Amino acid sequence: MEEKKIDLNSIIGFVLIFGILVYMMYMNKPTEEEQAAQEQAKQEQLEAEKKAAEQNNVAVTTAEDFSAATLTDSLQLVALNNKLGAFAYSSTLPSATNNETVVENDVLALKFSNKGGYLSEIKLKKFVDFDSVPIYLVRNGNTDFNINFGTTDSRILNTKDLYFQPTVTKNGENTVVSMKLKVSPEKYLEYRYELKPNDYMVDFTIQSKGLNNVINSSQEVNLNWSLKAYRHDQSISYENRYTRLTYQYDEGKIDKLAQAGSDEELIEDVKWLSYRQHFFSSIMVSKEPIKRVNIASEDLVTNEDVDTVFTKQFITKFPLTFQAGEINQPLKFYFGPTDSKILKKYDDNLDESIPFGWGIFGWINKALFIPLFGFLSSFLPYGIAIIVMTILIKLLMSFVQYKQFLSQAKLKVLKPELDAIREKYKDNKMKAQQETMALQNKAGASPLSGCLPGLIQLPVFYALFMFFPTAFDLRQKSFLWADDLSSYDAVAYLPFKIPFYGDHVSLFPILAAIAIFFYMKMTTGQQMASQPTQEGMPDMAKMMKFMIYLSPLMMLFFFNNYASGLSLYYFISNVISIGIMLVIKNYILDEDKIHAQIQVNKKKPKKQNRFQKKMEQMMEQAEQQKQAQQKRKK
């Protein structure tokens, strides 16, 4: 009974104390004038702090900058602690909202999301796409940047679900954005971004402070970075062809994931990897090679008539490094044009992410064509620079064309004698072949002498084929009717789509196809006139005649969606080739002189080289085996 009295008295006492407190608070409540004065004083103090911060190049984040109120409900705090453990603290801060922090320099405009602490928007300020829309590498959730980690109290968390506290400061001329995922005022996981003036490279460091007893370092702490590449070019299929994940590993080796379909790799000692979107790239660079990285790509263009938003999705996953129990991962990110001149400014071999071609083809581009075109385009319009570069290349290679035409002329002069040999030994094909080779060898008119110079041109042709689609300088540069030399030059649009051709008509490929038709008509006609027909062998004349029509047709279809700069090159190149051939035929070569020289060569003793001797022995052995088989049959 006494305990019940005590309890009742206690309750009454609490009620009285509470009532007194309420009465005192009511009596001491400020008047409306006092409230207005306090609010004005608070606002003046806030303005003064912000003004002082601006003078000291420090951005102050206050509760008024966010829409969400601080969590005070004890039940909510308990639920957060049960779900997030020590990281529940980050959700009680005023920054626990979906707000963004905006910074920029001369070339980049960046937004950082409080939720996840990552770059939620990346805009390239100096560029627009084919439809005059600003270039965004990241926007509207097309990227995922997340650290997956375990805690010492057996939780698995993802940074993309947690709230970071933003702070913007200055480091000299550089802008520093610090995004901190806090477990207490002095303990946190930090994303530190440093943006330099007029620079596409952003220094980025992931580091922790005081979390050695919070994050479980015995488990892998993995960084996941994925990106859906936005379409920026007029032709999505053409852009997708040059959109690939490229990486450098093992002290300088360069490799790529598949151009089409899906692909994935586990690679070691990765220095950098590039999400290349044809003319723009997002490149992650590590200060020290990353020991093990999982990468993947997926082609998102299943039907270019329907899916025209994204080209490919790239995915990267790798474990972060620890030092003394704390995360410490220094990285850099390049967000900018896939321009060799800009990428070469950095010391990380980033220009190798551009597909100049493998081996000698890439070397020709980097050592010759890129510097030459850069020089010409520095004082000439880009279309004229292409024409001048084409003329210089054709003049440089004209000796090869001369050698080819000279070989064809020799074979044409020898054709009557070669036909006579085949008629004489028509019942002995092997003997006819031996005599033919002997005559050609003595006259210095071997068919191989015309093929070898042609092979010399192949590295040049292929290097240029790789150069034009990757030449950033051609992007959105006009010439004649072409609005963009890096894209197709449509002069008409069709109401339907032709398979492998498209729904438009490009003019430069048509001109190039016409030029290559007449060039092949002239050169192949000369070859057919000089090429003797051999029994038992394919009819080369018919094959050559077929190629005269097939090659221009392939040019017409294949290049209709290609860069008009490349088609312009092939058009000018073939026109110049026709001109050079006419000059050689009409003003340089004389068939009578060639015939006289052949007769002189035939009289000279001709020593066979090792290859020719070996070929003759093989032919004799084949002839003996044939004769032996015929005897056995009889």
Side-chain angles (χ1 to χ4, degrees):
M1 189 68 178
E2 186 67 17
E3 288 179 2
K4 289 183 180 179
K5 278 188 178 180
I6 293 173
D7 291 338
L8 182 61
N9 291 336
S10 298
I11 293 171
I12 294 172
F14 284 134
V15 170
L16 289 174
I17 292 171
F18 180 77
I20 292 170
L21 287 173
V22 171
Y23 176 77
M24 291 177 63
M25 290 172 64
Y26 176 79
M27 293 301 296
N28 292 320
K29 180 181 72 173
T31 63
E32 292 182 1
E33 292 79 4
E34 291 174 334
Q35 287 179 341
Q38 289 176 1
E39 185 66 27
Q40 183 177 359
K42 183 178 178 182
Q43 197 67 27
E44 290 175 353
Q45 182 181 0
L46 180 61
E47 293 295 330
E49 289 178 355
K50 286 188 175 181
K51 187 175 181 181
E54 289 174 0
Q55 292 175 351
N56 293 317
N57 292 323
V58 178
V60 175
T61 302
T62 65
E64 284 73 17
D65 295 323
F66 305 94
S67 59
T70 304
L71 291 170
T72 56
D73 190 331
S74 59
L75 292 178
Q76 287 181 296
L77 290 173
V78 170
L80 280 173
N81 283 317
N82 289 336
K83 182 179 179 181
L84 305 177
F87 287 94
Y89 176 80
S90 64
S91 295
T92 66
L93 301 176
S95 56
T97 69
N98 290 329
N99 283 19
E100 294 176 319
T101 300
V102 179
V103 299
E104 61 182 75
N105 63 8
D106 305 284
V107 295
L108 293 174
L110 307 176
K111 288 185 180 180
F112 303 84
S113 173
N114 288 4
K115 188 174 183 180
Y118 67 102
L119 275 164
S120 57
E121 185 173 291
I122 301 171
K123 176 184 175 183
L124 303 184
K125 297 169 66 174
K126 294 187 175 182
F127 304 101
V128 295
D129 67 8
F130 71 99
D131 209 19
S132 300
V133 176
I135 294 290
Y136 289 91
L137 298 182
V138 171
R139 195 183 191 190
N140 296 332
N142 71 315
T143 189
D144 185 26
F145 192 89
N146 176 58
I147 296 177
N148 176 266
F149 62 95
T151 63
T152 52
D153 55 358
S154 302
R155 290 179 172 82
I156 301 297
L157 301 177
N158 294 285
T159 56
K160 65 180 181 180
D161 301 324
L162 304 175
Y163 293 97
F164 288 66
Q165 187 175 55
T167 306
V168 182
T169 59
K170 284 287 186 177
N171 180 17
E173 294 184 344
N174 300 347
T175 302
V176 177
V177 179
S178 173
M179 306 294 290
K180 292 181 179 178
L181 175 61
K182 293 187 173 183
V183 300
S184 73
E186 302 299 327
K187 297 180 179 181
Y188 50 80
L189 173 67
E190 181 185 24
Y191 293 167
R192 185 182 186 277
Y193 306 85
E194 186 162 349
L195 183 64
K196 308 176 191 67
N198 198 33
D199 199 338
Y200 293 102
M201 187 72 77
V202 179
D203 290 340
F204 177 64
T205 303
I206 305 173
Q207 55 193 4
S208 64
K209 180 181 178 182
L211 300 186
N212 54 330
N213 293 322
V214 179
I215 294 179
N216 187 355
S217 59
S218 64
Q219 298 178 355
E220 281 193 350
V221 176
N222 290 307
L223 172 65
N224 297 270
W225 176 39
S226 68
L227 179 73
K228 286 184 178 180
Y230 276 116
R231 170 195 180 178
H232 301 306
D233 290 359
Q234 189 173 11
S235 170
I236 190 170
S237 59
Y238 179 66
E239 178 180 12
N240 204 28
R241 189 178 295 119
Y242 295 95
T243 298
R244 298 182 73 175
L245 196 159
T246 308
Y247 54 92
Q248 178 178 300
Y249 71 109
D250 194 16
E251 298 182 352
K253 296 179 181 177
I254 306 294
D255 207 347
K256 307 175 184 68
L257 291 186
Q259 187 180 64
S262 299
D263 192 15
E264 59 181 309
E265 290 285 347
L266 173 61
I267 47 178
E268 298 179 349
D269 297 324
V270 178
K271 179 61 179 175
W272 55 256
L273 54 89
S274 170
Y275 293 173
R276 171 164 46 86
Q277 301 170 234
H278 195 186
F279 284 126
F280 300 97
S281 296
S282 303
I283 306 175
M284 184 181 72
V285 185
S286 179
K287 184 177 180 181
E288 298 294 333
I290 305 172
K291 293 183 178 179
R292 188 179 76 258
V293 182
N294 290 90
I295 56 175
S297 69
E298 180 183 358
D299 194 344
L300 303 179
V301 185
T302 55
N303 185 342
E304 65 178 88
D305 295 327
V306 178
D307 185 2
T308 58
V309 179
F310 302 108
T311 52
K312 286 187 174 70
Q313 180 172 22
F314 302 120
I315 300 172
T316 296
K317 177 183 177 181
F318 64 91
L320 300 177
T321 57
F322 281 79
Q323 290 183 359
E326 299 284 358
I327 296 174
N328 184 22
Q329 188 79 50
L331 302 168
K332 292 186 291 185
F333 279 100
Y334 173 87
F335 303 109
T338 315
D339 187 344
S340 61
K341 295 191 299 297
I342 295 175
L343 293 174
K344 286 185 74 171
K345 294 179 182 178
Y346 303 101
D347 298 329
D348 299 298
N349 209 27
L350 298 184
D351 60 310
E352 292 295 332
S353 64
I354 303 174
F356 294 127
W358 55 272
I360 188 174
F361 311 113
W363 181 87
I364 292 173
N365 271 326
K366 287 180 281 188
L368 178 60
F369 295 144
I370 292 175
L372 176 59
F373 186 76
F375 169 72
L376 293 174
S377 61
S378 65
F379 61 90
L380 292 173
Y382 286 91
I384 302 299
I386 292 175
I387 294 174
V388 173
M389 186 171 79
T390 307
I391 293 171
L392 294 175
I393 293 170
K394 293 304 295 183
L395 290 176
L396 183 65
M397 302 299 293
S398 60
F399 78 95
V400 176
Q401 200 166 355
Y402 171 78
K403 288 287 187 182
Q404 285 182 297
F405 200 83
L406 177 61
S407 175
Q408 293 171 13
K410 288 180 178 179
L411 289 173
K412 182 181 179 182
V413 170
L414 283 177
K415 189 174 186 300
E417 295 182 58
L418 294 173
D419 289 341
I421 290 174
R422 288 178 177 81
E423 180 62 27
K424 181 179 180 180
Y425 297 104
K426 60 183 179 181
D427 296 327
N428 191 339
K429 304 296 187 299
M430 193 63 65
K431 184 64 175 177
Q433 190 67 26
Q434 289 175 341
E435 292 297 322
T436 297
M437 291 180 63
L439 177 60
Q440 290 174 342
N441 185 42
K442 286 182 179 180
S446 172
L448 291 177
S449 62
C451 296
L452 292 177
L455 294 176
I456 296 174
Q457 299 182 76
L458 288 180
V460 175
F461 289 156
Y462 183 77
L464 287 166
F465 178 78
M466 298 300 295
F467 167 76
F468 283 102
T470 58
F472 187 85
D473 288 340
L474 293 179
R475 186 178 181 272
Q476 296 182 347
K477 300 300 189 301
S478 62
F479 180 66
L480 298 178
W481 57 85
D483 296 326
D484 186 349
L485 286 169
S486 71
S487 185
Y488 55 78
D489 57 314
V491 293
Y493 288 90
L494 305 174
F496 50 86
K497 185 174 182 180
I498 301 174
F500 306 107
Y501 185 75
D503 58 357
H504 63 275
V505 178
S506 298
L507 185 52
F508 275 132
I510 294 175
L511 296 176
I514 294 171
I516 198 172
F517 172 78
F518 283 105
Y519 174 70
M520 292 189 68
K521 189 78 172 175
M522 297 171 71
T523 56
T524 309
Q526 176 78 4
Q527 289 177 352
M528 287 190 293
S530 62
Q531 186 72 32
T533 304
Q534 301 182 32
E535 294 183 22
M537 298 293 290
D539 192 338
M540 296 302 296
K542 289 184 178 180
M543 293 180 64
M544 290 178 180
K545 189 175 181 179
F546 177 71
M547 289 302 297
I548 290 176
Y549 296 96
L550 179 63
S551 296
L553 193 62
M554 291 177 62
M555 167 74 72
L556 194 64
F557 272 77
F558 186 75
F559 285 90
N560 192 58
N561 291 291
Y562 248 69
S564 54
L566 182 61
S567 300
L568 171 62
Y569 161 75
Y570 278 117
F571 168 58
I572 300 298
S573 176
N574 282 290
V575 169
I576 296 172
S577 294
I578 292 171
I580 291 174
M581 191 179 66
L582 290 174
V583 170
I584 292 173
K585 180 179 180 180
N586 296 319
Y587 299 100
I588 298 177
L589 292 182
D590 186 331
E591 290 189 4
D592 293 334
K593 291 182 179 180
I594 293 172
H595 185 269
Q597 185 62 47
I598 286 176
Q599 300 309 315
V600 173
N601 292 340
K602 286 163 62 177
K603 295 177 181 178
K604 294 179 181 178
K606 193 74 175 179
K607 185 178 180 181
Q608 288 183 322
N609 57 38
R610 186 177 299 177
F611 174 75
Q612 291 169 331
K613 288 181 179 179
K614 187 67 174 177
M615 285 294 295
E616 186 175 351
Q617 291 174 1
M618 292 173 62
M619 292 173 69
E620 288 177 353
Q621 290 174 1
E623 180 64 20
Q624 291 172 2
Q625 291 176 357
K626 184 179 178 181
Q627 291 177 358
Q629 289 175 355
Q630 290 175 349
K631 287 181 180 179
R632 284 197 295 270
K633 287 181 180 180
K634 290 180 180 179

